[in-house]
Amino acid sequence: MVSRRNFITITLIMLVLLFMFQTPEVMKDRMNDYDANAYAKSAGSSFDGKDMQALGEASWDSFMEHIVYIGNAYDQTTGSMVRQWCAYSKRYMDTYPSVFKYSFSREKMPEAVVIDCKYLDIDEGTDKLVELAGQGVNLIFCNLPNLRKLKGNMEFRKLLGIRAILFDRVHVKGIHLQEGFLLGGEKVYRLDDKLDKSYQDMNLAMPWYQVASGTKIYMAGILDDGATYENWPAVIWRNSVGKAKVFAVNGDYMSSNIGMGILEAMLYETKQYALYPIVNAQTLAVLNYPCLASENESEMQRRYSRSLKAVFRDVIWPGLSATSEKNMKKMTCFVAPQLNYLDENKPQRDELIYYLKILQEKKAEAGLSGTIQRGKGIGHKVKSDEKSIGKMEPEYKYLSFYQAKLADSEVEQALSSELYKNVRTALSDYDNHGMLLSYFNDSVTRQLIVNDGFSHTFLEDFRQNSIETAIGYSSIAIDMGKLAFPASERDSWEKLYEKFAGFTTTYWKAYEKLSSATMAESDERIRRFLALNYTQERTGNEIHLHIENFEKEAYFILRLQSGNWYVKEAKGASFAQLDDKSYLVTATMEDVALTIGEEHTAKITD
């Protein structure tokens, strides 16, 4: 028998243990302010659409640098890419329909003349281009002219540094990107035994241009004939004509917003250093998660032997949470009140509260999804959502909205409703030719998804590296609507999660020193990025930076050409090294001074 004293002792110990284990959970639950979006207070900018720097329409004197563009600045391919790049890099864009319309002035020396060869007659324009190069003007050919005309114009080939055209068309094994051109390092885009054929989506058929000695190749087609890298078919390269640098691209890489990073890297190659603004935001968007209604239950039972609610809680959330923590990436989950608006299943309040609590604990954020898997249109969706989740937790401010397949007019209709009144940014699917970052209207920004977290092909990787190089921005999205309404057996969480976890861990690693952000934080940085302008000058080994429209913080990338140079000291800013020659500079004041140190005695000179 247990004595009374021992019984009391055991009881007290059990009560103490119960108190120890239960109190933290009770306190955590009571202190979890789940019905308030923490980022509604901590993230926010006073800038709006009226503060965005104009796309080349502002006066020349408003910009520190300028480029000359030969082509149509308002087409939906190369022209729109160059306009977008100029807007983000704060360059003035001086546009001419032909090279003969441009009159060179040494007083207004451009950083480069960027040429779309669709608007160039090389038979008539070669002499003019050679003259510009002779004046020290850098030339960038976003594409190459007709192969037949190129063969017949030796002077133009000499300008480009083409020694010979060995074949009109050759099929290479892959693409090799040299280290030091784009951020992210060297890349070999070639299939091996471990990779599925679907990874290779780059153009492997191209003319074989053999470039002359003295040129510098940044990207080339891979051959298996034992030839050296210098003799492989050149894809991106640079020739030198006196003091001028002449760049050429063999392919269509500059006909989409992928070209922005290539342009930035090319201009870096013409200087001793490059310093330019970036967004510094890496976002992870989980689309249509959670879904608050019990939907497609028969299919969920067949696949997972449980309801959609249980699948999202017990199967998906542990993997999402683990991947987010492992990679230190903040999530923004775009809540789908319903996906099917034609059935009788309605959103459940306990589901919303459950996810708002765990998102708060993980420092994640909730947005709203515009997805309509089945329904009667945006008007019906808005009314249904306002009747359901609009009354569940009315204090929570949803700051972001996923556009899904909705037209802009439908998004405007949604944003005018009470439920969506606090939205500050709209997330849209990737568009090759669309503005990656812009304003949807004066008060709402628009940011595009850059990569699908369930897919990472070679071209998608190249796109990510180029966009990171240009503006320090990435947005990876995974759509959980695929799991709720799977199109095939491949849309199972087991298969999709393996891809998502692997891609996120592998391909974001090169940019882990750039900041992870929720959509609200990304919106804040985008507003500041689009509003700022800057000037810089160098005195000896010190770079002076002055920022206009400065608010709290601004971010820049500094790339140094020499491996002997490094950032020794920063005033008005902090800095972190991204790779051997690149730094992330975080300006905390509108005037910044960066001191460049040297391991040897050489000074930074032009």
Side-chain angles (χ1 to χ4, degrees), residues 546-575:
H546 175 70
I547 306 168
E548 299 173 11
N549 290 342
F550 177 81
E551 183 185 75
K552 190 178 176 181
E553 286 182 334
Y555 303 95
F556 291 79
I557 281 181
L558 172 64
R559 302 186 75 185
L560 303 171
Q561 279 289 357
S562 173
N564 296 327
W565 300 337
Y566 64 97
V567 179
K568 183 178 181 180
E569 184 182 3
K571 296 179 181 178
S574 60
F575 60 90

Side-chain angles (χ1 to χ4, degrees), residues 296-306 311 482-493:
N296 209 11
E297 293 294 273
S298 60
E299 182 65 17
M300 293 300 100
Q301 288 291 338
R302 185 185 75 81
R303 286 174 176 258
Y304 303 101
S305 300
R306 61 192 74 194
V311 170
K482 287 185 176 182
L483 285 95
F485 289 86
S488 70
E489 294 301 320
R490 290 177 296 181
D491 292 337
S492 66
W493 180 238

Side-chain angles (χ1 to χ4, degrees), residues 163-201:
R163 181 172 62 191
I165 303 175
L166 299 184
F167 292 98
D168 291 1
R169 186 178 178 87
V170 64
H171 194 88
V172 298
K173 305 295 183 182
I175 302 293
H176 186 175
L177 174 66
Q178 287 278 41
E179 185 174 11
F181 187 61
L182 299 178
L183 295 181
E186 178 185 25
K187 295 296 177 74
V188 178
Y189 298 119
R190 179 176 180 173
L191 294 174
D192 57 31
D193 294 338
K194 298 178 182 179
L195 295 177
D196 187 89
K197 290 183 179 180
S198 61
Y199 278 71
Q200 184 54 275
D201 58 344

